[in-house]
Amino acid sequence: MKKSIIVIAVCLFANVLFAQKPLSDSNGEKFQISVVMPFCGKQLMENPNHKNAAIGSACRQYYEGFILALDSFKKNETPIEIKVYDTQRDTLVFKRILEKKEILNSDLIIGPVLKEGNEMMLGFCEKNKIYHVSPFLTLTKSKIENPYLISVYPDLSYYGNFILEDIVRTGDQSANIIVLSGKESNDKVLSASINSLKSKYPNYVFKNVDIGKYTDLKSAYKLGKINHIIVSSDNEFLVNSALRFMADSNSFVDMQVYGLKKWLEFTSINIAQYEQLKVKIISPFYFNYSDPNNKLFIEKYRERFFIEPNEYAVTGYEQASFFIGSILQNKGQLELIDKQLKNKPLSNWYLIARKPGGKSLQNNKLNILYFKDGRLERLDY
């Protein structure tokens, strides 16, 4: 059996993190993955407080998780070559990278990270038919009709469909849906996506309430039915005020509240209140620190990089595991990726599908999180 090779050829990047020469018995067969991200290595070496420090640090931590996952593919028959490019968060640099012959040999491109880069990839993908991954950007405000784009974090507009499917799973045949939203653009995206589903769920009643007037919940609430309150706002003051009103009122029973990942970043979280209201947090990311596999990942990451892994590191590890695995499973034919069954490379689920009403692909598996006995848990199904 042939041994696998994983080679990282680092281009426009300050640090060589891992490299190994290819074996001579590969007969020239290999899969190539290009990582194209704004590491901003040169800028941060000159000035650690550079304006691009946050995005550069996120990309570096993502890449650390990414290369840690490569150990899992050392026994694969087909060599895997990883090429890394630093866009420096510069449009002209990014354009020059896309003109390189090495990029045109890619079986998959990881990146770019920011909206502008993803928009620039459209013409490149149409011409060269190469898939690329948006690793952690929610492209809600930028509709990109690119059939070769894979968004790991789904659009916010998809959340409405995901929540309604969860309500169906509970077996509720005649739910009262109350959308509590504010005036921010993301609020409007989510509330609009939920309201657009009225015809799909004719047995459900849909009502809208301005979160600034959360006391109007009394009139929207329906006794004798399960009331599903979908709060599309992440304004901490308004969300906490609305939750406090629902929890303190003697008028409400049979309630199920849905919220967003941002709630977990609030400075003040009343966990007992979340449990009382059966709050479900919809999040594209979850990490269970007590899981044995996750503990092993933390140990390996600490040993390799001498720091604690964060969300970006976990994401890099998972995406390397999933997408390299997909390339190997499909023998390089990534057009088959939406035919794969759901997969959990470490902590989060991956299920790639076409965006509803769109051309590009996205991960359709979000996490449903809730508090139980003071601990954050995930509902697995």
Side-chain angles (χ1 to χ4, degrees), residues 6 62-74 80 297 300-301 304-305 313-322 324 345-346:
I6 301 181
Y62 173 94
Y63 185 60
E64 289 171 348
F66 190 94
I67 64 172
L68 193 62
L70 299 182
D71 293 343
S72 303
F73 299 98
K74 285 185 176 179
I80 301 165
F297 164 76
K300 289 181 177 179
Y301 189 89
R304 182 80 66 90
F305 302 110
V314 174
T315 299
Y317 182 93
E318 289 189 320
Q319 291 182 20
S321 301
F322 176 75
I324 293 175
L346 183 63

Side-chain angles (χ1 to χ4, degrees), residues 9 17 33 67 74 124 136 193 201 245 271 291 304 307:
L17 298 178
I33 298 174
I67 64 172
K74 285 185 176 179
F124 174 87
F136 37 72
S193 71
Y201 300 95
F245 174 74
I271 294 177
D291 182 273
R304 182 80 66 90
I307 56 173

Side-chain angles (χ1 to χ4, degrees), residues 27-188:
N27 297 320
E29 297 179 12
K30 66 180 180 182
F31 292 124
Q32 179 180 309
I33 298 174
S34 296
V35 180
V36 183
M37 304 178 82
F39 296 99
C40 305
K42 182 179 179 181
Q43 297 161 333
L44 298 187
M45 287 182 69
E46 294 175 351
N47 177 15
N49 297 317
H50 192 277
K51 65 179 181 179
N52 292 333
I55 188 67
S57 177
C59 292
R60 174 183 57 78
Q61 292 157 341
Y62 173 94
Y63 185 60
E64 289 171 348
F66 190 94
I67 64 172
L68 193 62
L70 299 182
D71 293 343
S72 303
F73 299 98
K74 285 185 176 179
K75 295 184 179 180
N76 182 67
E77 291 186 26
T78 306
I80 301 165
E81 185 176 47
I82 311 295
K83 291 182 177 290
V84 182
Y85 301 85
D86 185 354
T87 68
Q88 302 176 44
R89 201 173 183 179
D90 185 307
T91 300
L92 293 179
V93 172
F94 180 51
K95 286 182 178 178
R96 288 198 293 270
I97 290 172
L98 293 182
E99 293 170 356
K100 291 180 175 292
K101 289 190 297 185
E102 294 90 344
I103 286 287
L104 298 178
N105 293 327
S106 302
D107 293 284
L108 176 67
I109 296 173
I110 303 294
V113 171
L114 302 174
K115 180 188 71 172
E116 297 79 9
N118 281 284
E119 291 173 336
M120 288 171 60
M121 286 295 292
L122 181 57
F124 174 87
C125 292
E126 287 177 342
K127 179 180 179 180
N128 300 294
K129 317 300 182 188
I130 299 174
Y131 284 88
H132 78 101
V133 173
S134 178
F136 37 72
L137 179 67
T138 300
L139 295 169
T140 297
K141 298 178 182 178
S142 180
K143 188 174 183 180
I144 303 173
E145 294 296 350
N146 183 353
Y148 295 93
L149 165 62
I150 305 172
S151 300
V152 179
Y153 283 11
D155 290 356
L156 190 59
S157 58
Y158 175 71
Y159 282 49
N161 188 70
F162 183 84
I163 292 171
L164 267 294
E165 288 179 353
D166 179 66
I167 294 173
V168 171
R169 273 193 299 271
T170 66
D172 193 345
Q173 301 297 318
S174 58
N176 188 44
I177 312 293
I178 303 174
V179 183
L180 197 59
S181 63
K183 303 185 185 305
E184 300 296 326
S185 58
N186 283 348
D187 297 18
K188 294 176 181 178

Side-chain angles (χ1 to χ4, degrees), residues 104-356:
L104 298 178
N105 293 327
S106 302
D107 293 284
L108 176 67
I109 296 173
I110 303 294
V113 171
L114 302 174
K115 180 188 71 172
E116 297 79 9
N118 281 284
E119 291 173 336
M120 288 171 60
M121 286 295 292
L122 181 57
F124 174 87
C125 292
E126 287 177 342
K127 179 180 179 180
N128 300 294
K129 317 300 182 188
I130 299 174
Y131 284 88
H132 78 101
V133 173
S134 178
F136 37 72
L137 179 67
T138 300
L139 295 169
T140 297
K141 298 178 182 178
S142 180
K143 188 174 183 180
I144 303 173
E145 294 296 350
N146 183 353
Y148 295 93
L149 165 62
I150 305 172
S151 300
V152 179
Y153 283 11
D155 290 356
L156 190 59
S157 58
Y158 175 71
Y159 282 49
N161 188 70
F162 183 84
I163 292 171
L164 267 294
E165 288 179 353
D166 179 66
I167 294 173
V168 171
R169 273 193 299 271
T170 66
D172 193 345
Q173 301 297 318
S174 58
N176 188 44
I177 312 293
I178 303 174
V179 183
L180 197 59
S181 63
K183 303 185 185 305
E184 300 296 326
S185 58
N186 283 348
D187 297 18
K188 294 176 181 178
V189 168
L190 180 52
S191 58
S193 71
I194 296 169
N195 287 317
S196 69
L197 297 169
K198 289 180 180 180
S199 60
K200 185 177 178 180
Y201 300 95
N203 294 330
Y204 290 174
V205 176
F206 292 79
K207 300 174 183 177
N208 294 278
V209 174
D210 186 332
I211 194 169
K213 302 177 181 178
Y214 54 84
T215 55
D216 289 349
L217 278 169
K218 283 188 176 182
S219 59
Y221 175 86
K222 195 168 183 63
L223 192 63
K225 289 182 176 289
I226 298 179
N227 292 263
H228 298 267
I229 317 298
I230 304 172
V231 186
S232 64
S233 175
D234 56 18
N235 180 297
E236 180 170 358
F237 174 76
L238 291 176
V239 168
N240 284 344
S241 296
L243 294 178
R244 188 162 52 248
F245 174 74
M246 287 185 268
D248 290 346
S249 176
N250 294 322
S251 306
F252 302 132
V253 292
D254 295 327
M255 295 183 69
Q256 172 67 70
V257 177
Y258 290 85
L260 305 173
K261 179 193 174 187
K262 188 75 173 178
W263 292 17
L264 299 177
E265 301 173 18
F266 286 172
T267 56
S268 177
I269 300 177
N270 188 330
I271 294 177
Q273 193 177 83
Y274 278 45
E275 291 190 25
Q276 176 188 343
L277 296 172
K278 303 175 185 176
V279 170
K280 289 182 177 180
I281 302 292
I282 310 301
S283 171
F285 179 83
Y286 172 69
F287 192 77
N288 181 0
Y289 285 88
S290 64
D291 182 273
N293 290 328
N294 296 346
K295 287 182 177 180
L296 181 60
F297 164 76
I298 293 172
E299 290 176 7
K300 289 181 177 179
Y301 189 89
R302 285 173 179 163
E303 183 179 343
R304 182 80 66 90
F305 302 110
F306 308 105
I307 56 173
E308 295 293 312
N310 61 7
E311 178 176 336
Y312 296 111
V314 174
T315 299
Y317 182 93
E318 289 189 320
Q319 291 182 20
S321 301
F322 176 75
F323 287 109
I324 293 175
S326 295
I327 287 174
L328 296 173
Q329 177 181 330
N330 297 311
K331 300 184 180 350
Q333 300 180 61
L334 279 177
E335 62 270 20
L336 301 176
I337 196 169
D338 61 345
K339 305 297 190 298
Q340 294 178 203
L341 299 175
K342 69 177 183 178
N343 181 283
K344 188 173 73 169
L346 183 63
S347 187
N348 294 278
W349 290 98
Y350 285 66
L351 180 65
I352 305 300
R354 292 287 167 191
K355 291 185 181 181

